[in-house]
Amino acid sequence: MRIRNLTVSNSRLAEGSYHFFHILKSIELGENDSWFVMQDPLGYKVLMPAGFYEKYGFQPGQKVKCRVDRINCSGRMFLEPMHPHYTEGEVYSFQPAGEGKQKSITGDEEFFFRVKDLLGYEWKVRVNSREQIPDMQQQVRCRLNRIKKGKLHLSLENDVSQTGTLETGKSYDFLISDEKINPDDGLKYFILTAPDRSRHVLKKKYYLHYGLKKGQQIRCRVDKFTGEGYYFLEPENPWYKEGKTYAFKPLEIHKLNFSDGTIEDVLVLDDPHGEPIKQFIDSGEVEKLQNRDIVNCRVLRIRKSRIELEVI
């Protein structure tokens, strides 16, 4: 099995950790494509999109605390800078900016209100009914559930919203009743109808290789309630089940050489049903796996169709 050495321009920091990054400069990679060149605590560089944070007041020379949101199997690091005024999980008072109702992507009548934050951005907060809309003549208390790409995901302070009678962690049979483009992000979604007739959404792009189509019955696990006010659903993989062990054909091993001298090994496995699977492995496993024709792996988790494995 071939071993490929790949150079990664940033250092290897732990996912979920917080560090101060130095903004060296901003660059333009194209029209409306601005980036900050960030220097990590060890002196290495990483790019962060500037457009999401244009009102944060970032300037070259400034030090900014960032969360390492994710490091993919190619070694690329994704950052989320800390908001200048807000912290996830806290409750804040916001200036009301209006209310309304609309037809949601699922076809249901949807009620919402808008609030304005301290940077002047307006954010929409979904509620289950007209009665849940607070008094728009005074400040509204909202919980900040998540900040992603500078966007605030808010809910009412004591909101216990849910859609239908589904329970988190359980699996149900859903009917793919429609397919629509969401005007909010321009992406295609399947509309799923649950046994209790409630309707839910499933982002299509993650499951293209599943062959899903309108009129099909699929089984999904109900995960957390998202910041957008919908359940996150994970369809059962047609070929793999969590907790089961399968034989995979190894393709190669990538040795990711980070700028700080850290080396991470990634096992690349053939998946006849989709893109090759990339899985971080311990350095001690490389020699054991190098001459194998088959590698047995246990499926630990499937999320957004991506498979996380444990080498047996």
Side-chain angles (χ1 to χ4, degrees):
M1 179 171 31
R2 182 171 65 159
I3 296 180
R4 292 179 62 193
N5 281 287
L6 303 175
T7 300
V8 182
S9 59
N10 52 266
S11 52
R12 173 66 160 149
L13 301 176
E15 286 186 1
S17 60
Y18 292 81
H19 306 272
F20 281 96
F21 287 76
H22 183 201
I23 302 177
L24 297 178
K25 60 181 178 180
S26 61
I27 59 174
E28 301 284 336
L29 297 182
E31 189 176 354
N32 299 318
D33 190 18
S34 300
W35 296 75
F36 289 118
V37 180
M38 314 287 286
Q39 186 178 48
D40 73 16
L42 299 174
Y44 302 100
K45 298 174 184 177
V46 61
L47 291 178
M48 183 179 76
F52 301 129
Y53 314 106
E54 60 182 355
K55 290 189 179 181
Y56 277 33
F58 292 158
Q59 297 293 332
Q62 185 178 353
K63 283 196 172 181
V64 178
K65 190 176 183 180
C66 299
R67 180 179 65 234
V68 179
D69 249 13
R70 185 167 71 91
I71 297 176
N72 66 18
C73 285
S74 298
R76 183 182 175 190
M77 186 159 55
F78 298 85
L79 304 177
E80 184 67 40
M82 297 301 93
H83 197 284
H85 302 291
Y86 303 113
T87 302
E88 290 179 343
E90 299 295 327
V91 175
Y92 299 94
S93 294
F94 291 89
Q95 186 70 32
E99 61 180 270
K101 68 176 181 178
Q102 63 185 18
K103 279 280 188 182
S104 70
I105 184 176
T106 61
D108 298 308
E109 193 171 61
E110 180 178 84
F111 294 91
F112 63 89
F113 61 92
R114 293 189 304 275
V115 295
K116 182 180 288 188
D117 70 13
L118 291 173
L119 296 180
Y121 289 113
E122 289 190 8
W123 306 110
K124 186 183 292 185
V125 184
R126 295 176 69 249
V127 291
N128 280 342
S129 65
R130 174 67 183 82
E131 290 69 31
Q132 281 189 299
I133 295 177
D135 183 359
M136 291 284 103
Q137 302 304 311
Q138 56 187 15
Q139 295 242 312
V140 182
R141 300 276 289 172
C142 292
R143 185 175 304 279
L144 177 53
N145 301 309
R146 185 171 62 126
I147 303 175
K148 186 76 170 178
K149 297 179 179 177
K151 180 180 179 181
L152 305 190
H153 295 264
L154 301 166
S155 61
L156 276 173
E157 179 179 8
N158 299 311
D159 183 46
V160 290
S161 293
Q162 63 176 27
T163 305
T165 60
L166 307 185
E167 294 183 41
T168 301
K170 291 190 175 182
S171 295
Y172 301 88
D173 291 320
F174 292 81
L175 173 68
I176 302 178
S177 52
D178 207 348
E179 179 182 327
K180 293 183 179 180
I181 294 177
N182 188 343
D184 291 340
D185 58 18
L187 298 176
K188 290 183 178 179
Y189 287 77
F190 290 117
I191 309 302
L192 305 185
T193 302
D196 64 0
R197 308 308 298 167
S198 60
R199 289 184 286 266
H200 309 266
V201 296
L202 181 70
K203 194 174 288 187
K204 182 178 179 179
K205 71 174 186 177
Y206 298 127
Y207 307 100
L208 295 175
H209 57 302
Y210 280 23
L212 305 180
K213 57 187 178 182
K214 184 177 176 180
Q216 186 176 346
Q217 198 93 17
I218 61 172
R219 191 163 183 82
C220 300
R221 183 181 67 246
V222 177
D223 274 359
K224 64 180 183 179
F225 205 69
T226 69
E228 290 81 10
Y230 295 103
Y231 280 118
F232 178 83
L233 304 179
E234 184 64 44
E236 284 190 352
N237 187 289
W239 308 284
Y240 307 111
K241 293 188 181 300
E242 292 180 356
K244 298 291 185 181
T245 299
Y246 301 89
F248 293 90
K249 178 184 176 183
L251 298 177
E252 56 188 9
I253 292 174
H254 293 171
K255 296 189 82 68
L256 305 181
N257 295 269
F258 291 85
S259 298
D260 60 353
T262 305
I263 298 176
E264 288 281 350
D265 295 301
V266 177
L267 176 64
V268 184
L269 300 166
D270 182 40
D271 181 1
H273 312 293
E275 296 291 323
I277 300 170
K278 295 181 179 180
Q279 182 66 40
F280 284 111
I281 57 173
D282 294 332
S283 58
E285 293 183 282
V286 173
E287 189 174 349
K288 300 176 188 176
L289 297 171
Q290 194 171 352
N291 297 316
R292 286 202 197 172
D293 295 323
I294 291 295
V295 177
N296 291 315
C297 299
R298 181 181 295 112
V299 177
L300 297 179
R301 186 171 182 251
I302 302 174
R303 184 170 174 80
K304 296 180 181 178
S305 83
R306 290 195 296 266
I307 301 172
E308 182 182 332
L309 300 171
E310 176 189 27
V311 178
I312 304 301

